[in-house]
Amino acid sequence: MIELTRRATFSASHFYWNEQWTAEKNAQVFGRCANRNGHGHNYTIEVTVVGEPDPVTGFVVDLKWLKDVMEREVVEVMDHRHLNLEVPEFACMIPTTENIAIVAWRRLAPVLSRVGAAKLSRVRIYETPEIFAEYRGEA
Amino acid sequence: MIELTRRATFSASHFYWNEQWTAEKNAQVFGRCANRNGHGHNYTIEVTVVGEPDPVTGFVVDLKWLKDVMEREVVEVMDHRHLNLEVPEFACMIPTTENIAIVAWRRLAPVLSRVGAAKLSRVRIYETPEIFAEYRGEA
Amino acid sequence: MIELTRRATFSASHFYWNEQWTAEKNAQVFGRCANRNGHGHNYTIEVTVVGEPDPVTGFVVDLKWLKDVMEREVVEVMDHRHLNLEVPEFACMIPTTENIAIVAWRRLAPVLSRVGAAKLSRVRIYETPEIFAEYRGEA
Amino acid sequence: MIELTRRATFSASHFYWNEQWTAEKNAQVFGRCANRNGHGHNYTIEVTVVGEPDPVTGFVVDLKWLKDVMEREVVEVMDHRHLNLEVPEFACMIPTTENIAIVAWRRLAPVLSRVGAAKLSRVRIYETPEIFAEYRGEA
Amino acid sequence: MIELTRRATFSASHFYWNEQWTAEKNAQVFGRCANRNGHGHNYTIEVTVVGEPDPVTGFVVDLKWLKDVMEREVVEVMDHRHLNLEVPEFACMIPTTENIAIVAWRRLAPVLSRVGAAKLSRVRIYETPEIFAEYRGEA
Amino acid sequence: MIELTRRATFSASHFYWNEQWTAEKNAQVFGRCANRNGHGHNYTIEVTVVGEPDPVTGFVVDLKWLKDVMEREVVEVMDHRHLNLEVPEFACMIPTTENIAIVAWRRLAPVLSRVGAAKLSRVRIYETPEIFAEYRGEA
């Protein structure tokens, strides 16, 4: 088994806010991220699939196809978007790095589990070069 | 003369929109950046001062002091902010990478021209690792 | 379960030397690292915690809190220090990248095992961008 | 147990082509990579060994020795080479990132399994900063 | 005046060889680069234009347009190509980093001198992260 | 004219201290850098030469030769060294990033002014990825 990983980037806006809480509580828990005007990041997504390389092509998956899947399922959905306002999953889920990784996994897994002998292995989201979350699916 | 440069980062949100134009014209000129919900970036600012190293300390400027100036004049003003809505200069100026560099220069130059034998030489703003603007002040 | 990682940096000095050995033996085993005047690096530490995101906040841990813990337990202890001379653990343990990872784990684990549903998962130390050690604790 | 990783780089040329197929089929499956004039990359190899740090030296392995092994077994064989034409393993195996990782593992494992208490744990090959394959050996 | 820069990447193959010389002389001058099977790199091109930001849009140039120009004039011409064999300028000019920068400038300048108040300022080519050439045109 | 740049790295130790001052004054001016046990960095040096590419080889200078010069004049002198104690120039000059750039220039210029039509254009020293000094010689 071998793991093959591809990266892509997107730029998005978000804020952290819990409607059940007062403004004071939101500010206390979320700090500067509670600014409802939003702020943003250049996110990097790293998608890893695992499988055996095809003996004829030497590919675990076709990287061009993987790029198209990542583009369609994640980048087009999130790039130049306000995550809280425009990505349906975040209507009732705070768009933390952890939750973006989970949402990206849920969008990618159905497509990437259909591909020959390979399957989705992990999704990593970098919010900045200093912070990233990694998800490997429900056990 | 020697140039000394320091980098800092901030995360902010923005959009491109000209109130004089129709939505169609804005979409045509600004593309995905015209999304009024905003999107964001991890910006990097690179500030360069030029001067002679002090013969006693070996410093062109004190880098700790430069960090504090950058923090106070630029990072605190823009980090976790929506540039269009919260930074006064962008009330009537589109926050492109070029204009952010000019605004940062105008905020830094008065302070950095007061510092001994050194003076502000250039300001570079990276919007992403692939795009940056550099400003050296009005000639 | 999801992993959340944060990076920080520190600059320190060290040398490799075994008091039981002759200078020749030290030079032979440790090469240029045996220079007792010391040399240094910009180290990067990467701390990973694993857990379930809190359903309300979307956090595995509060990244601001994690930053403070890393700062207090590792960065303040090692930054701008001579590891052999100023960090107690290295009085009788050579500060190789491997051992710095183990020492950082031992400093972080007691604090990071106290945090709700999350716990310390791994510590990675980069000595240079080309060399890093990763530790996941005693099995 | 602790993992210790070292990186090295090499620049090589390759193309993707299956002799059993027509030119059309090759172009369809391999796209621009089927250009038989070849194209190239700056590859990065990341070699990880796992073991206990030696209690005297603090080393899992001697990094200078690891560098020499990587140089001799992989870098000298592939650097400034045309992988299809000059690396024997690729005479009948397409030099995809996945296969380069497998070939590097097979070259490194015999040497790195001879080293005290440590052994080869993984090999990662970056074809570009956006694409990498990781291999951990046959289970 | 403000400078605006955009990066792009391409992967290509090349070798260094002077037909007037013996194989020995080529090997002596060009070392491993004289291997006629070719080797390759992930090149990065950095294109800088200089001008005044448009007072209405805040743009020195439209970065989407600049990307398309770079794509059409340089990336499509060189990506996944063997520079010596497939890029006409290198039929009688060795594709060193220096010469690639000059060729890219000559391809870009006619288009980028037609754009409003901005003009091409510099072209930088990275052959690896450690080596780059920069050209500012004939004085 | 075209500029050609090559990077190299070295790891060194240093501290900031002025013998004429009290310990209090040193601590006040130099902060944590005044720790006389020393601390260290992974420095990057970037050396730029400027000239016309040779019409036969396409080289401004031979990059292999440039690497050897940088190695001999700077890297061997400073790598795995304590700059204050082991590099003669810093016996009476504080090894700030600015001064390291000046010392590297003075070591490189005599050799790089002897090379055909090319000459040394600038030396840049990165102390960390966030801080660098650039020197272009006495006017």
Side-chain angles (χ1 to χ4, degrees):
Chain A
M1 302 288 277
I2 194 160
E3 285 190 328
L4 186 64
T5 300
R6 175 150 211 153
R7 286 184 188 152
T9 59
F10 58 94
S11 297
S13 200
H14 72 164
F15 61 80
Y16 293 172
W17 191 266
N18 182 335
E19 290 288 355
Q20 319 300 123
W21 293 347
T22 60
E24 289 69 26
K25 171 89 174 183
N26 274 293
Q28 178 203 320
V29 175
F30 295 127
R32 311 197 75 186
C33 296
N35 175 356
R36 298 202 67 176
N37 289 314
H39 66 280
H41 300 285
N42 303 322
Y43 290 94
T44 296
I45 180 168
E46 216 177 83
V47 176
T48 303
V49 292
V50 64
E52 296 291 346
D54 180 287
V56 177
T57 61
F59 289 172
V60 168
V61 293
D62 178 337
L63 280 167
K64 176 70 178 63
W65 175 82
L66 180 58
K67 183 183 186 178
D68 292 344
V69 170
M70 290 166 63
E71 188 72 24
R72 190 178 68 235
E73 302 297 330
V74 180
V75 176
E76 277 181 21
V77 174
M78 301 193 187
D79 188 38
H80 282 64
R81 298 292 180 187
H82 192 302
L83 299 179
N84 304 63
L85 306 181
E86 297 180 272
V87 177
E89 287 91 335
F90 298 121
C92 50
M93 192 184 184
I94 294 177
T96 56
T97 319
E98 296 92 314
N99 281 339
I100 299 171
I102 293 172
V103 165
W105 174 281
R106 288 182 184 158
R107 286 177 169 267
L108 291 165
V111 185
L112 295 179
S113 65
R114 267 184 269 144
V115 52
K119 63 172 209 275
L120 184 58
S121 168
R122 65 180 180 86
V123 170
R124 189 182 275 196
I125 299 282
Y126 288 82
E127 185 181 273
T128 69
E130 274 68 47
I131 292 170
F132 60 89
E134 184 173 312
Y135 187 56
R136 293 179 171 270
E138 280 91 31
Chain B
M1 300 288 275
I2 194 160
E3 285 190 328
L4 185 65
T5 300
R6 175 149 210 154
R7 286 184 188 152
T9 59
F10 58 95
S11 298
S13 200
H14 71 164
F15 61 82
Y16 293 173
W17 191 267
N18 182 335
E19 290 287 355
Q20 319 300 123
W21 293 348
T22 61
E24 288 70 26
K25 170 90 175 182
N26 273 293
Q28 180 204 318
V29 174
F30 295 127
R32 309 197 76 185
C33 297
N35 176 355
R36 299 202 66 177
N37 289 313
H39 67 279
H41 300 285
N42 303 322
Y43 290 94
T44 297
I45 180 169
E46 218 177 81
V47 176
T48 302
V49 292
V50 64
E52 296 291 346
D54 180 287
V56 177
T57 62
F59 289 172
V60 168
V61 293
D62 178 336
L63 281 166
K64 175 71 178 65
W65 175 81
L66 180 58
K67 184 182 185 179
D68 292 343
V69 171
M70 290 166 64
E71 188 71 23
R72 190 180 66 236
E73 301 297 330
V74 180
V75 176
E76 276 180 22
V77 174
M78 302 195 188
D79 189 38
H80 282 64
R81 298 291 179 189
H82 191 302
L83 300 178
N84 304 64
L85 307 180
E86 298 181 89
V87 177
E89 287 92 334
F90 298 122
C92 51
M93 190 184 187
I94 294 177
T96 56
T97 319
E98 295 93 314
N99 281 339
I100 299 171
I102 292 171
V103 165
W105 174 282
R106 289 182 184 158
R107 285 177 169 268
L108 292 164
V111 185
L112 295 179
S113 65
R114 265 183 270 146
V115 51
K119 64 170 207 276
L120 184 59
S121 168
R122 66 180 179 85
V123 170
R124 188 183 276 196
I125 299 282
Y126 288 82
E127 184 181 274
T128 70
E130 275 67 46
I131 292 170
F132 59 87
E134 185 173 311
Y135 187 57
R136 292 178 172 270
E138 280 91 31
Chain C
M1 301 290 273
I2 195 160
E3 286 190 328
L4 185 65
T5 300
R6 175 149 211 154
R7 286 184 188 152
T9 59
F10 58 94
S11 297
S13 201
H14 71 164
F15 61 81
Y16 293 173
W17 191 266
N18 183 335
E19 292 287 356
Q20 319 300 123
W21 293 348
T22 61
E24 288 70 27
K25 170 90 174 182
N26 273 293
Q28 179 202 321
V29 174
F30 294 128
R32 309 197 77 185
C33 297
N35 176 354
R36 298 202 67 177
N37 288 314
H39 66 279
H41 300 285
N42 303 322
Y43 290 94
T44 296
I45 179 168
E46 217 177 82
V47 175
T48 303
V49 292
V50 64
E52 295 292 346
D54 180 286
V56 177
T57 61
F59 289 172
V60 167
V61 294
D62 178 337
L63 280 166
K64 176 69 177 64
W65 176 82
L66 180 58
K67 184 182 186 179
D68 292 344
V69 171
M70 290 166 64
E71 188 73 23
R72 190 179 66 235
E73 302 297 330
V74 180
V75 176
E76 277 180 22
V77 174
M78 301 193 187
D79 188 39
H80 282 63
R81 297 292 180 188
H82 191 302
L83 300 178
N84 304 62
L85 306 181
E86 297 181 89
V87 177
E89 288 92 333
F90 298 121
C92 51
M93 192 183 183
I94 294 177
T96 57
T97 319
E98 297 92 314
N99 281 339
I100 299 171
I102 293 172
V103 165
W105 175 282
R106 288 182 184 159
R107 286 178 168 267
L108 292 164
V111 185
L112 294 179
S113 65
R114 266 184 268 143
V115 50
K119 63 171 208 276
L120 184 58
S121 169
R122 65 179 179 86
V123 170
R124 188 183 276 196
I125 299 282
Y126 288 82
E127 185 181 274
T128 69
E130 276 68 47
I131 292 170
F132 60 89
E134 184 173 313
Y135 187 57
R136 292 179 172 270
E138 280 91 31
Chain D
M1 302 288 275
I2 195 161
E3 286 190 328
L4 186 65
T5 300
R6 175 149 210 154
R7 287 184 187 152
T9 58
F10 58 94
S11 297
S13 201
H14 72 163
F15 61 81
Y16 293 173
W17 191 266
N18 181 337
E19 291 288 354
Q20 318 301 123
W21 293 348
T22 61
E24 288 70 26
K25 171 89 175 183
N26 274 292
Q28 180 203 320
V29 174
F30 294 128
R32 310 198 75 186
C33 296
N35 176 355
R36 299 202 66 177
N37 289 314
H39 66 279
H41 300 285
N42 303 321
Y43 290 94
T44 297
I45 180 168
E46 217 177 83
V47 175
T48 303
V49 291
V50 64
E52 296 291 346
D54 180 287
V56 177
T57 61
F59 289 172
V60 168
V61 293
D62 178 335
L63 281 166
K64 176 71 177 64
W65 175 81
L66 180 57
K67 183 183 186 179
D68 291 345
V69 170
M70 291 167 62
E71 188 73 23
R72 189 179 67 236
E73 301 298 330
V74 180
V75 176
E76 277 180 22
V77 174
M78 302 194 187
D79 188 38
H80 282 64
R81 297 293 179 187
H82 191 301
L83 300 179
N84 303 64
L85 306 180
E86 297 181 271
V87 177
E89 288 91 333
F90 298 122
C92 51
M93 191 183 184
I94 295 177
T96 56
T97 319
E98 296 92 314
N99 281 339
I100 299 172
I102 293 172
V103 165
W105 174 281
R106 289 182 184 157
R107 285 177 169 268
L108 291 163
V111 185
L112 295 179
S113 66
R114 266 184 268 144
V115 52
K119 63 171 208 276
L120 184 59
S121 169
R122 65 180 180 86
V123 170
R124 188 183 275 197
I125 299 282
Y126 288 82
E127 185 181 275
T128 69
E130 275 68 45
I131 292 170
F132 59 88
E134 184 173 313
Y135 187 57
R136 291 178 172 272
E138 280 90 31
Chain E
M1 301 288 275
I2 193 160
E3 285 190 328
L4 186 65
T5 300
R6 175 150 210 153
R7 287 184 188 152
T9 59
F10 59 93
S11 297
S13 201
H14 71 165
F15 60 81
Y16 293 172
W17 191 266
N18 182 335
E19 291 288 354
Q20 319 300 123
W21 292 348
T22 61
E24 288 69 28
K25 170 89 174 181
N26 274 292
Q28 179 204 319
V29 174
F30 294 127
R32 310 198 75 187
C33 296
N35 175 356
R36 299 203 65 178
N37 289 313
H39 67 279
H41 301 285
N42 303 322
Y43 291 95
T44 296
I45 179 169
E46 217 178 82
V47 175
T48 303
V49 293
V50 64
E52 295 292 346
D54 180 286
V56 177
T57 62
F59 289 172
V60 167
V61 293
D62 178 336
L63 280 166
K64 176 71 178 63
W65 175 82
L66 180 57
K67 184 183 185 177
D68 291 344
V69 170
M70 291 166 64
E71 188 71 25
R72 190 179 66 236
E73 302 297 331
V74 180
V75 176
E76 277 181 22
V77 174
M78 301 194 188
D79 188 37
H80 282 65
R81 298 291 180 188
H82 191 301
L83 299 178
N84 304 62
L85 306 181
E86 298 181 271
V87 177
E89 287 92 334
F90 298 121
C92 51
M93 191 184 187
I94 294 177
T96 56
T97 318
E98 295 92 314
N99 281 339
I100 299 172
I102 292 172
V103 164
W105 174 281
R106 289 183 183 158
R107 286 178 168 267
L108 291 164
V111 185
L112 294 179
S113 64
R114 265 183 269 144
V115 52
K119 64 171 208 277
L120 184 59
S121 169
R122 66 179 178 86
V123 170
R124 188 182 277 196
I125 299 282
Y126 288 83
E127 184 181 274
T128 70
E130 274 68 47
I131 293 170
F132 60 88
E134 185 173 311
Y135 188 56
R136 293 178 173 269
E138 280 91 32
Chain F
M1 302 289 275
I2 194 160
E3 285 190 328
L4 185 66
T5 301
R6 175 148 212 155
R7 285 183 189 154
T9 59
F10 58 94
S11 298
S13 200
H14 71 165
F15 61 81
Y16 294 172
W17 192 266
N18 182 336
E19 291 287 355
Q20 319 301 122
W21 294 347
T22 60
E24 289 68 28
K25 170 91 174 179
N26 274 293
Q28 179 203 320
V29 174
F30 294 128
R32 310 197 75 185
C33 296
N35 176 354
R36 299 202 66 178
N37 289 313
H39 67 278
H41 300 285
N42 303 322
Y43 291 94
T44 296
I45 179 169
E46 219 178 81
V47 175
T48 303
V49 292
V50 64
E52 296 291 346
D54 180 286
V56 177
T57 62
F59 289 171
V60 168
V61 293
D62 178 337
L63 280 167
K64 177 69 178 65
W65 175 81
L66 180 58
K67 184 183 185 178
D68 291 345
V69 171
M70 291 166 64
E71 189 72 24
R72 189 179 67 236
E73 302 297 330
V74 180
V75 176
E76 276 180 23
V77 174
M78 301 194 187
D79 189 39
H80 282 65
R81 298 292 179 189
H82 192 301
L83 300 178
N84 304 63
L85 307 181
E86 298 180 90
V87 176
E89 287 91 334
F90 298 121
C92 51
M93 190 184 187
I94 293 177
T96 57
T97 319
E98 296 92 316
N99 281 340
I100 299 172
I102 293 171
V103 165
W105 174 282
R106 289 181 184 159
R107 286 177 168 267
L108 291 164
V111 184
L112 295 179
S113 65
R114 266 184 268 144
V115 51
K119 64 171 208 275
L120 184 58
S121 168
R122 65 180 179 86
V123 170
R124 188 182 276 195
I125 299 282
Y126 288 82
E127 184 181 274
T128 70
E130 276 66 47
I131 293 169
F132 60 89
E134 185 174 312
Y135 187 57
R136 292 177 172 271
E138 280 90 32

